Amino acid sequence: MTEKEITDLLKRYTDQKCTQDEIILVESWYNSLEYKHPLQVNEFEEIKLQTWHSLNTEPLKKRSFYQYAAVLIGLLLLSTASYMIILQYKKDISHTPTTIQTVGYGATLFLGSKDSINLSALHIGETINTNGINVKKLDNGMISYEVQSDIKNTGELNKLIVPRGSQFKIKLADSSLVVVNSESELEFPSQFAGSERRIKMVGEGYFEITKNKYKPFIVSSKEQEVTVLGTKFNIQAYRHEKNITTSLLEGKVRISTPTGQVILLPGDQALYNGQHMLVSKAKTTSVTSWKEDIFVFDSEPLGKIMQQLSRWYNVDVRFETKETAKISFTGRISKYQTIDQALHLLEMTGKVKFRIDNQTIHVKAN
């Protein structure tokens, strides 16, 4: 490919005008950066943003453009052979015919102990009233709660259940936003009475909490409680996983467990294994990327990566050996891609091979 062809390709990608094969080509290149250039994910993002900006800036200063695009061009010039591989990616992954696909953006809402609503079936703008509570589907697919002013007792708990292969946004009665990830549950009241705002989370959720210094917001997850006044954070506490991971993006939170308490500041991440709490710096880009329809991995073990893919694509994963699950990867995968395309991006590193058998993915090291 010539430099002009590369520039045109990147421009089409940012304008969302690429063909599916071209999308795979660009994202396969991006996924391979770890093995071509010793940068971290945040550096990849900075170079990409600067390059994208250069492509859309007139007049274009060639020297500054090539300063930021040198890595892109140098790698993509190698793409002639890679492109032929990408076009044949379906032959690279051994599998029997399957219909693996994501569910999308669906969920079921249980209103107290009586009614349930299939939120996927609700139309934009449609409102359901139950016991004085209006449940409305907004134009962005989110649902919101609107409590009628003459309703006093709404203490009954509701539950939002998000299946594998899906995620959902909900706006609570206090205007707090929660994005609920695949295979997760959120339990909450229709409105927050009393001196606190308390909900329960199983699985993973991203939170943007409306500030109210007189009524703290508390998220319970297994044996852990996170108390906030107003902040942005992510909690991962799946039922069948040992660890609870809390990552703070903005504000301040207090985490309470049977073994003690810890205060997190922006950029901190706490990992609680049921006995001990470890606080470290969070990889915020990769932690919250799932809610933006993309997976970002920053030196993540394959076992953890496949856990995310298994929930999103609703598949089971089997590793040939425990050591295979420890292989680390850095890169990004769009959640709009098929399972074949996602696995192909990982296979292009030359580290692993996949075999799909119905709804089970078998993984072995190369």
Side-chain angles (χ1 to χ4, degrees), residues 147-181:
V147 184
Q148 295 180 5
S149 58
D150 57 342
I151 301 300
K152 296 181 179 179
N153 184 12
T154 56
E156 199 167 34
L157 291 176
N158 305 304
K159 181 178 286 189
L160 178 69
I161 298 180
V162 181
R164 278 184 160 201
S166 188
Q167 65 186 52
F168 211 86
K169 296 180 182 180
I170 181 169
K171 184 179 180 182
L172 302 179
D174 67 339
S175 296
S176 293
L177 169 69
V178 185
V179 188
V180 185
N181 204 356

Side-chain angles (χ1 to χ4, degrees), residues 171-295:
K171 184 179 180 182
L172 302 179
D174 67 339
S175 296
S176 293
L177 169 69
V178 185
V179 188
V180 185
N181 204 356
S182 304
E183 200 175 15
S184 302
E185 300 175 9
L186 185 72
E187 191 173 86
F188 58 95
S190 298
Q191 70 176 3
F192 295 103
S195 59
E196 63 183 22
R197 297 170 288 168
R198 181 179 289 271
I199 68 172
K200 183 178 180 180
M201 180 85 213
V202 176
E204 183 169 18
Y206 169 80
F207 300 81
E208 293 185 2
I209 304 304
T210 301
K211 293 182 179 180
N212 185 340
K213 64 180 180 180
Y214 302 108
K215 187 177 289 191
F217 197 101
I218 302 173
V219 183
S220 298
S221 302
K222 296 197 284 191
E223 296 182 336
Q224 173 183 288
E225 284 191 351
V226 176
T227 303
V228 303
L229 295 177
T231 190
K232 298 178 182 180
F233 60 100
N234 193 90
I235 295 178
Q236 188 178 86
Y238 280 98
R239 183 173 282 112
H240 302 298
E241 294 181 14
K242 181 179 180 180
N243 297 332
I244 304 176
T245 305
T246 306
S247 307
L248 182 63
L249 282 75
E250 181 180 298
K252 182 188 292 186
V253 301
R254 180 178 69 248
I255 301 178
S256 302
T257 70
T259 61
Q261 295 185 347
V262 66
I263 300 293
L264 294 190
L265 299 177
D268 286 346
Q269 181 178 82
L271 188 149
Y272 178 63
N273 64 7
Q275 295 180 324
H276 306 287
M277 181 78 72
L278 175 65
V279 178
S280 60
K281 288 300 178 183
K283 300 175 182 178
T284 54
T285 300
S286 57
V287 165
T288 61
S289 63
W290 63 267
K291 70 183 182 67
E292 305 297 341
D293 295 329
I294 193 167
F295 297 113

